[in-house]
Amino acid sequence: MRDLVAAHPQLLRAVAAYGLPGTVHTLPDRPLSEEDWRPLFAAVRHQRLVGLLHAAVRARHFPVTDAQGEQVLRRHVQAMTSVLLLEQSLLATVDLLESAGVEVRVLKGSAVALLDYPEPSLRSFGDVDLLVQSAEFDAAVEALSSAGYRRRYPQPQPGFDRRFSKGASFFTPDGHELDLHRTFVMGPYGMTIRPEDLWRGSQGFQLAGRTLHALDPEGRVLHAAFHAALGNWPARLAPHRDLAEMLLFRRIDEGQVRATAQTWQAEAVLARAVSGAWELLGLADVTGLSTWSARHQPTERDVKFIDLYSNPQNNYAAKSFAAVRVVPGLRNKLGYLRALALPDRSYLDQRHASFTARLRHGLRQSVTGGGHR
Amino acid sequence: MRIDIRASGQDAADVPNAQPGSYVRRVDCLVRHVGDVVVLLPIGAHEAITLTGSAAAIWHELHQPKSERSVVEGLAESFCVSAADIRESVVQVLEELNRRGAVERAPG
């Protein structure tokens, strides 16, 4: 966990933790010099933490010069303008899918901002994420494509998405990014999630007079955990903040969260994310889940799997090939391998230069497993 | 299946009690607050509206449906000025918000 903390300067982590009870991080007591301000503000923008910085500046907990304060305000208004345009796109996409008979859940973004933060403007985001059921995935893709949404990458073979993939990415007609999910992540942990568990409950929220549905609170905790632990390297701070918001302020059935993670063979993912949130945000307060996470010992298999996600040398192919181990059933394994080994021409054209290069790279990655850290 | 609805992030006013002709925030207008600044995106609009200062105060006045006169009086009291001095400017902002789809007038 040390390397995770070292990846982000202390002051950036203090901004990410602003307003959380019991954080040990401190903010400066006088305005930063321009030399110190510039890299901090760039990192805050990159991590989409301008809302938290703005709140700290506005409350005079982070002293700034007039010029710095003006930069923060201007950037935050820009971020919120983008968020509203994305919400407009979200509403149009939900309308489109629902009119095609596809049920959707809103992931991350608006759902977390409106349900889990005390003030939605504290949470900004850069795309739209929707979850659909495996059985309706093809219908959703068809509806979107017919309406002019442009898919970024084709699937390797027909039926691959609905059976195996994390989902598909699109550009909406107005140019926004849309991630259509079937599950949370690609690779081995994407295979052990049971997507049907995500549809056991939901929580509604109001947006522009419409009721949209998000995952239930426990589902949102698990999604934030997967995003925090497996999403990017170095890990993004926003999903860790999401987790802290949910665990410290929302009524969460932590037993259910752990039980679901256990069913998905993903306790190590949950533990890594929660421990990461507590470390990164310098949280002194504990919850049952944070105590459990601090004591959790990942198995050797989990260490290897997590490294696949946290090692930037491991690309799409490496994660795909590593997932073979956990694809359930021989028939599914063969179908999965066939699709990866003999993808359609259109897929190869867009994603990889040649099959042999793909196979060689994937096999090499799945055998050596990285280990840069 | 458990379904729970939580209303959040909404700035829409309570429409049922609106007096005919009073101004009402449109329920389908997307909103974010950035400190004293209000950012609005009426449904279907391609550009957001950013309200600052007294224009943001007009939006805050409309937390419930109000007649033009009530908005002017509320604002005059907040800013310690005479209603007559600000009426024309307030009406211009209300009409612009109405034209751009952020507010509407209650039917009557």
Side-chain angles (χ1 to χ4, degrees):
Chain A
M1 204 60 68
R2 292 283 113 204
D3 47 355
L4 178 62
V5 171
H8 302 290
Q10 188 277 334
L11 195 45
L12 181 64
R13 285 182 275 127
V15 172
Y18 177 69
L20 292 176
T23 178
V24 298
H25 293 325
T26 53
L27 294 168
D29 57 6
R30 69 195 64 181
L32 298 179
S33 67
E34 277 309 299
E35 193 185 343
D36 292 335
W37 170 258
R38 267 194 300 271
L40 173 75
F41 191 50
V44 163
R45 291 197 311 266
H46 176 68
Q47 294 282 339
R48 298 191 198 286
L49 300 173
V50 180
L52 291 165
L53 178 60
H54 176 261
V57 168
R58 186 171 154 76
R60 300 182 190 281
H61 292 151
F62 192 131
V64 290
T65 64
D66 288 350
Q68 291 165 354
E70 186 56 39
Q71 278 179 46
V72 174
L73 177 63
R74 202 178 325 121
R75 185 67 194 107
H76 192 26
V77 169
Q78 280 173 7
M80 289 302 102
T81 301
S82 301
V83 156
L84 295 185
L85 289 165
L86 284 167
E87 288 188 333
Q88 187 164 260
S89 200
L90 164 70
L91 288 163
T93 307
V94 170
D95 273 348
L96 176 69
L97 291 172
E98 287 183 348
S99 61
V102 176
E103 198 181 354
V104 298
R105 296 281 181 268
V106 182
L107 300 176
K108 304 192 282 188
S110 301
V112 171
L114 294 168
L115 287 168
D116 297 311
Y117 278 75
E119 165 54 49
S121 65
L122 292 174
R123 175 68 156 83
S124 57
F125 42 91
D127 63 2
V128 173
D129 292 86
L130 291 173
L131 179 77
V132 301
Q133 302 190 63
S134 304
E136 294 180 348
F137 198 88
D138 290 345
V141 171
E142 173 61 31
L144 294 174
S145 302
S146 301
Y149 288 59
R150 192 161 49 83
R151 190 172 172 158
R152 291 181 79 175
Y153 302 108
Q155 57 183 337
Q157 279 190 352
F160 183 87
D161 282 348
R162 123 174 82 78
R163 292 174 70 192
F164 304 118
S165 80
K166 168 192 169 185
S169 294
F170 291 84
F171 289 111
T172 67
D174 47 6
H176 294 121
E177 271 186 51
L178 164 71
D179 284 340
L180 188 71
H181 293 251
R182 186 188 69 87
T183 183
F184 291 163
V185 288
M186 63 163 304
Y189 284 119
M191 294 294 176
T192 54
I193 290 173
R194 296 193 323 186
E196 62 271 26
D197 291 346
L198 303 173
W199 294 86
R200 283 190 306 220
S202 73
Q203 185 171 13
F205 62 98
Q206 299 285 315
L207 188 66
R210 293 269 316 277
T211 299
L212 303 182
H213 291 274
L215 298 177
D216 62 18
E218 290 74 25
R220 294 203 301 281
V221 166
L222 285 161
H223 191 199
F226 272 73
H227 190 203
L230 309 177
N232 301 83
W233 182 260
R236 303 282 288 203
L237 291 165
H240 289 92
R241 171 70 187 223
D242 291 349
L243 256 185
E245 285 287 340
M246 294 169 191
L247 295 175
L248 292 172
F249 296 110
R250 300 284 156 252
R251 237 183 324 178
I252 302 291
D253 181 343
E254 294 189 349
Q256 189 191 317
V257 170
R258 273 185 58 189
T260 305
Q262 188 178 29
T263 307
W264 294 352
Q265 303 171 47
E267 284 179 295
V269 175
L270 177 63
R272 179 182 170 85
V274 176
S275 302
W278 255 248
E279 280 274 337
L280 283 168
L281 304 175
L283 300 176
D285 290 357
V286 293
T287 71
L289 205 55
S290 71
T291 307
W292 167 81
S293 297
R295 293 182 186 147
H296 180 81
Q297 290 295 322
T299 63
E300 208 173 299
R301 186 197 79 149
D302 283 319
V303 171
K304 277 187 186 158
F305 279 176
I306 286 173
D307 187 67
L308 274 169
Y309 293 87
S310 55
N311 184 338
Q313 291 171 341
N314 291 326
N315 64 5
Y316 179 89
K319 289 185 203 123
S320 299
F321 279 99
V324 175
R325 277 179 66 177
V326 287
V327 172
L330 183 60
R331 191 161 164 262
N332 282 332
K333 268 193 212 309
L334 288 172
Y336 181 74
L337 273 171
R338 193 182 317 117
L340 289 180
L342 302 166
D344 288 350
R345 186 78 243 171
S346 59
Y347 175 80
L348 277 178
D349 287 347
Q350 289 212 20
R351 196 132 206 168
H352 300 283
S354 75
F355 163 66
T356 42
R358 279 161 49 74
L359 186 62
R360 205 179 302 126
H361 183 75
L363 288 173
R364 191 171 58 241
Q365 293 293 334
S366 59
V367 172
T368 58
H372 76 298
R373 292 156 48 208
Chain B
M1 178 184 282
R2 273 185 310 122
I3 296 183
D4 160 31
I5 307 275
R6 181 175 163 199
S8 181
Q10 284 283 110
D11 262 8
D14 187 13
V15 182
N17 297 325
Q19 294 293 315
S22 57
Y23 279 98
V24 182
R25 292 174 182 170
R26 279 189 62 143
V27 73
D28 55 5
C29 181
L30 293 160
V31 186
R32 283 294 192 279
H33 296 268
V34 179
D36 296 328
V37 178
V38 181
V39 188
L40 306 172
L41 187 69
I43 208 71
H46 299 293
E47 269 185 32
I49 305 167
T50 305
L51 305 178
T52 58
S54 52
I58 291 174
W59 183 260
H60 295 307
E61 279 292 320
L62 293 173
H63 66 277
Q64 53 187 338
K66 281 190 179 166
S67 65
E68 191 179 286
R69 184 176 158 183
S70 296
V71 174
V72 172
E73 285 171 357
L75 228 66
E77 196 180 321
S78 300
F79 287 87
C80 300
V81 292
S82 107
D85 287 347
I86 61 168
R87 182 175 312 281
E88 192 182 333
S89 306
V90 172
V91 169
Q92 276 177 3
V93 172
L94 286 169
E95 285 174 352
E96 178 68 7
L97 289 174
N98 188 21
R99 190 183 67 76
R100 295 181 67 172
V103 303
E104 61 189 343
R105 299 194 82 155

